[in-house]
Amino acid sequence: MALNLFKSQDNDGDLKRIPREIGILPLRNMVAYPYMVLPLAVALPNFMKMIEEAVDGSHLVGLITCKEPAVDNPMPWQIYEVGTVARIHRAVKIPNNHFHVIVQGIERFRVKFWRRTEPYLVAQIELSPERVEEGIELDALKRRLQILAQEVVTLMPNIPEDAGNYLESIEDPRYLAYLVAANSRIKTPTSQKILEIDDLNDKLRALISVLSREKEVLSLDHKIQAETHEEMGKAQRDYYLRQQMKAIQKELGEDSDGGDDYADYERKLNKAALPKEAHEEAQRELRRLKGMHPSSAEHSVIKTYLNWLTDLPWHARSDDRLDIAHARVILDEDHYDLEDVKDRLIEYLAVKKLLRERGETPDPNAPQGDVQGTGTLLCLVGPPGVGKTSLGQSIARALGRRFTRMSLGGIRDEAEIRGHRRTYIGAMPGRIIQAIKRAGTCNPVFMLDEIDKVGSDWRGDPSSALLEVLDPAQNHAFRDHYLDVDFDLSEVMFITTANQLETILPPLRDRMETIALDGYTEHEKLHIAVNHLVPRQTRANGLQPEEIFFGRPALACIIADYTREAGVRSLERQIGAVCRKTAVCISTGQPGPAEITPDRIRQLLKKPLFESEISETIDLPGIATGLSVTAYGGEILFIEATRMPGKGELTITGHLGEVMMESARIAHSYVRSQAVNLGIEAKRFRDTDIHLHVPAGAIPKDGPSAGLAMVLAMASIYTGRPVRSDVGLTGEVTLRGRILPVGGIKIKMLAAHRAGLSTVILPRRNERDLDELPQEVSKQMTIRLADRVEDALALSLQPGEAGTADTRQPNFATG
């Protein structure tokens, strides 16, 4: 240990001959100490010149360590400022024109300032020997360092036995310090710090700390060697050697990437605080992992499973922000109207707030059948573009919860929901668990988009798998096939979206609280465009507010002539198109008006895409206007009937479903039964064929609500009296002439208002649905309620023209 060091015999004389200016030789990845003998290889021409001049002169150079070892010719700021003056004892030029130099450290110095950098570094220095305070403390520190050094020497292999005796014989504490520092396994930055310590006592303390750690590492090495010394096969031997290497690296603070898998997972499991069942399963898999060779295929499978168990947010939850006023502000900022959804969320917050304030929580010890699900399940139903998906993000922001989303459209494999069992290659948890992991909390706002578009095939029925997920009374113990342990979903706020309810599995639909998001009126679209769509598209297309301004007449023009939808998605696209065309004008330097007018809209968007379907007054008999509901909102539906000589046959076309075909036959039978009251000769039914058609024949249509419009169309063609073109009708008709209630009244009324109808005839039993109508719709339209078909006929049929029908007038009350 001391073979490469010796103590100078003429140290005082050397100190007197040290000049104030000296050439500096940078060292890479090493530190030179006083008393230390170093062999150096010098290859760069500038430093070789410095060595030659030093050999011809004082034989002295300054050795300082580089901060950046990769730099060949470092500048003053790239090396430290404390180094060691060294004497050149020997300098030999070897055949490859390199110098092989032997130097010995003399004394520590500090750089006062740099004289020059070319052709090599020269600095003015001042010697800086350590402060030495003689006393008991110095003796105790010296004695402790000697004992530690002797113990380390004993533990180190291939060290002569007399090395320990030599350490004990050293009397100079400074020489002892540098001897130990030079021969210990210390990283370069730490070695430099030890060199820079000015107080000898502090330097000894630092070395004692370093040596204590090295002693522990060496002791652990001996312990590992003793434990792994038994006979073993080659595979086991390789495995334990790897474990030994990892343990050594860990003690040195040089952990490899893999680390100790078993200990690492044990720490993760303790930190994760898993539920009892999950913890027991994890411990069972961990015991299997411990006795398994890393090259085994099952090894990576178990590690993946344990990673999922430890990474899931079993107990991490967001604190609900139960500020009702704040939630109302956020919801109003993000969405216009949608009062039913906002009121439902406010109710949810109010209940949570009362439960928290009054300290009432569900009893965890209650029987399983009495578990109180704390989760909430809302189903937002409405046409595309009304804001169903974005509403989920607003709800999460209002609650202060994380938001995660999963699209169910087109899912046909049950394993997408519940995951695959671990026996399959590449098995993973289902998308429910994956989304919970991404959210990072166990109580996020979880949006399940397009739940009405879930399919099923030979791989299973995902809708059935969702029954457990979405039932607040059951999902506290949701069991994913991959995890195979219960995971609590009861605190998740599930929100589903759908365009229509009919395609959703009835038991699944029963678990959801349905909230209808019907289409917007033109007034509401205008408000949304001004406050949300225009600012968003202006920013998205790189425009400034002063560069483009949409007037309300221009927006009304887009709404009326270029969009026909229940939502506002197409409206936003058209606004974006205007913004992009304006950006082109600005980018090319073309002048253009900042204010967008209706004329500018027609110039940019070309000809209108839509025109009012009732812009022309219909004065022909046999045409009635019905109202329908589709997945894209409400629509008006023309029912056309014509007659021709024949044998009294009824032809029905228009790609109609079975229910709608039955409604047409019922309408025909009812008109025949009321021939006398309608003033129709009986022979017309015998010698006249009727053809009933519903236009847009490529689109499938079904449902009973067009029955009343079909009756009016047939009554009109037989009597020759046109149906008022400004009247829309909806309602199911019976053979007795009763008008039964139908669904989707609000959506149908919005479609009628959008199409320009002035009067709508509804079943009287749908009067309860009129409270949902916006004020501008109910004020601008006349709504008539009818119990029987006779009432609707009196309100809808116009007086007949001479020669176009029977002369007898119908005989029924006008209601």
Side-chain angles (χ1 to χ4, degrees), residues 708-749:
L708 182 58
M710 290 179 172
V711 171
L712 265 294
M714 291 189 182
S716 172
I717 197 64
Y718 276 118
T719 63
R721 298 170 58 186
V723 180
R724 288 173 53 189
S725 59
D726 63 339
V727 173
L729 308 108
T730 186
E732 181 181 355
V733 174
T734 69
L735 287 173
R736 294 180 295 160
R738 295 182 62 216
I739 303 177
L740 302 181
V742 292
I745 294 299
K746 181 180 178 181
I747 298 179
K748 293 175 180 177
M749 290 296 296

Side-chain angles (χ1 to χ4, degrees), residues 272 274 305-316 429 432-438 440-442 480 483 485-487:
L274 304 181
Y305 177 72
L306 291 175
N307 285 335
W308 273 103
L309 281 183
T310 54
D311 291 344
L312 282 175
W314 296 92
H315 303 289
I432 298 292
I433 293 297
Q434 292 181 34
I436 293 292
K437 178 187 173 183
R438 286 196 305 271
T441 61
C442 63
D480 186 272
L483 297 181
V485 294
D486 290 345
F487 190 89

Side-chain angles (χ1 to χ4, degrees), residues 574-682:
Q574 297 295 342
I575 293 172
V578 174
C579 290
R580 290 193 299 274
K581 294 178 185 297
T582 303
V584 172
C585 293
I586 294 174
S587 299
T588 56
Q590 301 176 16
E595 181 176 359
I596 304 299
T597 63
D599 291 338
R600 182 66 174 168
I601 291 294
R602 296 185 184 94
Q603 179 184 353
L604 295 175
L605 300 182
K606 309 305 178 184
K607 63 180 182 180
L609 300 178
F610 302 98
E611 60 182 10
S612 175
E613 294 183 23
I614 57 170
S615 58
E616 297 181 4
T617 302
I618 301 174
D619 55 2
L620 297 176
I623 301 177
T625 306
L627 304 176
S628 66
V629 176
T630 70
Y632 303 98
E635 297 287 346
I636 63 171
L637 197 67
F638 289 113
I639 310 294
E640 300 179 353
T642 188
R643 66 179 185 173
M644 61 210 77
K647 300 180 181 180
E649 296 179 355
L650 174 64
T651 303
I652 306 170
T653 58
H655 203 165
L656 308 184
E658 186 62 33
V659 175
M660 208 164 180
M661 298 278 283
E662 291 176 355
S663 297
R665 289 191 284 268
I666 291 171
H668 186 251
S669 298
Y670 175 79
V671 172
R672 290 188 63 182
S673 69
Q674 296 295 319
V676 175
N677 292 334
L678 292 170
I680 306 172
E681 293 181 355

